Amino acid sequence: MIKEFVLDGIVLYEAKHFDAKDILTCGQVFRYFDNGSHYSVISLDKKCDIVKEGDKIRLVTDDGEYFNRYFDLDVSYGAVIERLKGLPFMEEATENGKGIRILKQDPFETVVSFIISANNHIPRIKGIIERLCVSLGEKKDGYYAFPTAERLAGVDAKFYSDLGAGYRAEYLARTAADIAGGFPLDKINELDSESANKKLCTLIGVGPKVADCILLFGYARQDVFPVDTWIKKVYADIFSEGARSPKEIRRALIATYGELSGYAQQYLFYNKRG
DNA sequence: GGCCAGGGTAGAA
DNA sequence: TTCTACCATGGC
């Protein structure tokens, strides 16, 4: 892939491993929109339009450096896939999702988003988060920014309940207050992934799976393996057995995919869920 | 109309 | 430490 910074963003050439649909619909992010002709994605207070122009892809944004990092453009996914091939199910999964990239998202936005994701459908998750941004986020040109922790801490559980958050309303209110009150999200990177997972689990509404999602999508950790209902199905496919605990499944899958677990997990999730 | 979702919490065993 | 009941909501 060849990358060129231009005035209105970034242009990608020969981008075999960059596909907007693969990246945005593989369950790692919820603030994206299919505009028919192109996709848009919002991260914090920044927006990026992903426009196909023949064999080129134009990332239209006023902050190219931010989205260069966000889309993980300095990592060769061709090299990642080469390393993954040969491991169980990776031949098919990396071909089916060859345009996937793992986004480097904002940790706070990731915490809030994945608290909402728990035991929930992706279309509904998208809706709750969007209503959250419209009601509490700063208004920008044609969209709304993700609200700050202070803004989220300024409303009560009933507010989140009225947004349709269900029983996660209490979790959101308490965790927003915790983070606005000084919970050290900025020090998570000083911890190894197991310790970081435990630390994140002290947030109300964050359990082992959500903590792994936060580490993978918000802190770019690859040595984690979020186990949800889809990964349980994948596990049954790979090992021909089911009904083991998420903890055991996680350990077995990390043993299989090692330091590439995060990548493998995402290809497997996308391949299974479709 | 029932099933299920990128699960977590609190309490019991 | 691990197991269980319970949880709100709405897309399908």
Side-chain angles (χ1 to χ4, degrees), chain A residues 115-144:
Chain A
I115 286 176
I116 294 169
S117 81
N119 197 28
N120 212 343
H121 285 95
I122 288 177
R124 182 164 170 246
I125 299 166
K126 280 170 60 65
I128 296 169
I129 293 175
E130 192 54 28
R131 291 192 290 279
L132 191 69
C133 294
V134 170
S135 57
L136 292 176
E138 182 185 353
K139 184 167 174 51
K140 311 295 284 187
D141 182 19
Y143 64 98
Y144 290 87

Side-chain angles (χ1 to χ4, degrees), chain A residues 74-270:
Chain A
D74 291 329
V75 168
S76 166
Y77 278 71
V80 169
I81 288 173
E82 277 309 305
R83 294 173 65 195
L84 281 170
K85 284 193 175 178
L87 296 175
F89 272 60
M90 281 297 110
E91 191 77 35
E92 174 190 342
T94 57
E95 177 57 32
N96 192 26
K98 59 177 176 291
I100 289 176
R101 309 182 74 82
I102 302 212
L103 298 174
K104 288 185 165 134
Q105 304 184 61
D106 173 71
F108 175 68
E109 181 168 350
T110 309
V111 167
V112 174
S113 297
F114 279 88
I115 286 176
I116 294 169
S117 81
N119 197 28
N120 212 343
H121 285 95
I122 288 177
R124 182 164 170 246
I125 299 166
K126 280 170 60 65
I128 296 169
I129 293 175
E130 192 54 28
R131 291 192 290 279
L132 191 69
C133 294
V134 170
S135 57
L136 292 176
E138 182 185 353
K139 184 167 174 51
K140 311 295 284 187
D141 182 19
Y143 64 98
Y144 290 87
F146 196 84
T148 63
E150 288 70 24
R151 288 282 289 172
L152 291 183
V155 298
D156 58 10
K158 183 181 184 307
F159 186 91
Y160 295 110
S161 184
D162 290 342
L163 287 179
Y167 61 82
R168 306 162 199 82
E170 185 74 23
Y171 304 162
L172 292 171
R174 293 176 64 181
T175 287
D178 195 352
I179 293 173
F183 182 94
L185 280 182
D186 56 340
K187 290 191 165 46
I188 292 295
N189 256 334
E190 300 172 5
L191 305 172
D192 64 88
S193 293
E194 292 304 315
S195 304
N197 184 293
K198 285 185 179 170
K199 179 67 177 174
L200 288 168
C201 283
T202 65
L203 293 168
I204 303 299
V206 177
K209 186 271 176 183
V210 168
D212 266 359
C213 285
I214 295 166
L215 288 170
L216 177 54
F217 305 132
Y219 291 95
R221 297 296 178 92
Q222 295 299 330
D223 57 338
V224 297
F225 212 113
V227 176
D228 70 338
T229 59
W230 297 98
I231 293 299
K232 287 175 186 170
K233 302 182 209 291
V234 171
Y235 177 86
D237 293 342
I238 295 177
F239 294 93
S240 302
E241 56 181 85
R244 290 175 65 174
S245 72
K247 189 174 180 179
E248 287 178 307
I249 292 173
R250 179 181 191 271
R251 186 170 58 234
L253 290 171
I254 288 179
T256 301
Y257 297 106
E259 63 181 5
L260 300 174
S261 288
Y263 297 113
Q265 183 275 159
Q266 205 52 29
Y267 289 116
L268 289 170
F269 177 88
Y270 188 60

